[in-house]
Amino acid sequence: MTFIRPELRRRIWRWREVLIGLFVAGCGMFWTVSQTGILAAIGLALTIVGALVVFAGFQRTRFRVGAGGPGVVQVTERQVTYYGPFDGGALSIDALVRVDLDPGAQPFPAWILTEAGGTVLAIPTHAENAEALFDVFAALDGIQTESMLTKLRGNPRERVRIWDSGPRRLH
């Protein structure tokens, strides 16, 4: 038996990292002002860690656009796998050369991941566990996370380039 409505539980779960960071920062601030010596220093460190968790959690929250879309995303051992109802596939994160956001994909906007060999994988932004792609995108060299989040929330009308690896060199 639960005392929290399901829609409120979903909303709280969406902001979980921010709430945890606020709790840690609050505990750290309490220790910083109420203690002396080493405990005050530990409190200051907790406050800084909590602030960093709030910042990262806020970015993750902005990346989550919804759930209940078609398919499931799985990220394991530097490989992205999408199990869709009609299509799917897998590609290596190391072979990724381009990431696009296609708002015209049906039924939901989709991330378009392109591998070096030309393999293309379209993953709906609302797919189950699509939030795992945030860590994949954050690990890409040279990606501008804030720009990506702005484009995602900006509801573009046509396909938008999020990241490009640039020219590949043999040596």
Side-chain angles (χ1 to χ4, degrees), residues 127-150:
E128 194 67 35
N129 199 31
E131 66 189 38
L133 293 174
F134 182 81
D135 294 328
V136 171
F137 297 159
L140 297 174
D141 190 32
I143 193 164
Q144 297 175 350
T145 307
E146 189 61 37
S147 173
M148 173 187 67
L149 295 172
T150 302

Side-chain angles (χ1 to χ4, degrees), residues 76-81 89-97 113-116 119 121 136 140 168:
T76 54
E77 296 185 14
R78 303 206 44 87
Q79 179 172 312
V80 176
T81 306
L91 55 81
S92 170
I93 296 169
D94 297 324
L96 204 59
V97 293
L113 310 178
T114 307
E115 207 172 27
T119 304
L121 183 60
V136 171
L140 297 174
R168 287 195 162 295

Side-chain angles (χ1 to χ4, degrees), residues 38-99:
I38 191 74
L39 288 179
I42 291 172
L44 181 61
L46 277 177
T47 303
I48 293 169
V49 168
L52 292 173
V53 170
V54 166
F55 177 74
F58 186 68
Q59 285 188 323
R60 285 177 173 280
T61 300
R62 289 176 53 203
F63 187 78
R64 293 182 189 109
V65 292
V72 177
V73 177
Q74 185 178 21
V75 179
T76 54
E77 296 185 14
R78 303 206 44 87
Q79 179 172 312
V80 176
T81 306
Y82 172 64
Y83 303 100
F86 304 112
D87 61 352
L91 55 81
S92 170
I93 296 169
D94 297 324
L96 204 59
V97 293
R98 189 170 62 240
V99 176

